[in-house]
Amino acid sequence: NSTIATPRKSGGHQEQQELSGGARISYIFNHIFSSSLLQVRAFDGLSEEEIRTTICNANGTRPSLFVPEMSFDILVRKQISRLEQPGLQCVDLVYEEL
């Protein structure tokens, strides 16, 4: 945490040991939330076999040069759900600050 000076009513400065208000919310987004998102790896929890199987199931009997939209949606939704916990943590921290 950073030390910041806040004005006192007498005109001097009072030292604070923690960020507060908008500065704390900015810190939550820029440091806590962003670092928790960086820890979520794109392919964690997805094996190559699972990717192949999902693509084959979407193709059926016809071959395809490109990844079918349906299999892409299935795989992406699974990975996006892994972002729920960091998002909820961020919401909780911001709510506590308000």
Side-chain angles (χ1 to χ4, degrees):
N1 288 340
S2 299
T3 301
I4 56 173
T6 56
R8 263 195 231 161
K9 290 182 182 178
S10 63
H13 290 301
Q14 173 185 356
E15 294 293 321
Q16 288 187 342
Q17 296 301 318
E18 293 184 1
L19 296 173
S20 63
R24 177 71 180 156
I25 292 171
S26 177
Y27 179 81
I28 289 168
F29 279 112
N30 293 318
H31 293 88
I32 298 172
F33 184 58
S34 65
S35 69
S36 64
L37 288 182
L38 290 174
Q39 292 175 0
V40 177
R41 309 295 298 175
F43 293 105
D44 285 353
L46 282 179
S47 67
E48 288 184 25
E49 185 65 28
E50 183 178 6
I51 294 170
R52 264 190 237 106
T53 302
T54 304
I55 291 171
C56 287
N57 286 339
N59 284 335
T61 59
R62 61 189 188 280
S64 177
L65 291 175
F66 302 103
V67 175
E69 186 176 337
M70 187 172 82
S71 61
F72 178 77
D73 285 348
I74 291 168
L75 295 169
V76 167
R77 285 173 198 247
K78 181 179 178 181
Q79 295 307 94
I80 287 176
S81 69
R82 297 176 55 232
L83 300 174
E84 182 178 12
Q85 186 58 37
L88 290 174
Q89 177 192 16
C90 180
V91 168
D92 288 341
L93 291 171
V94 170
Y95 182 77
E96 287 174 14
E97 189 58 40
L98 298 176

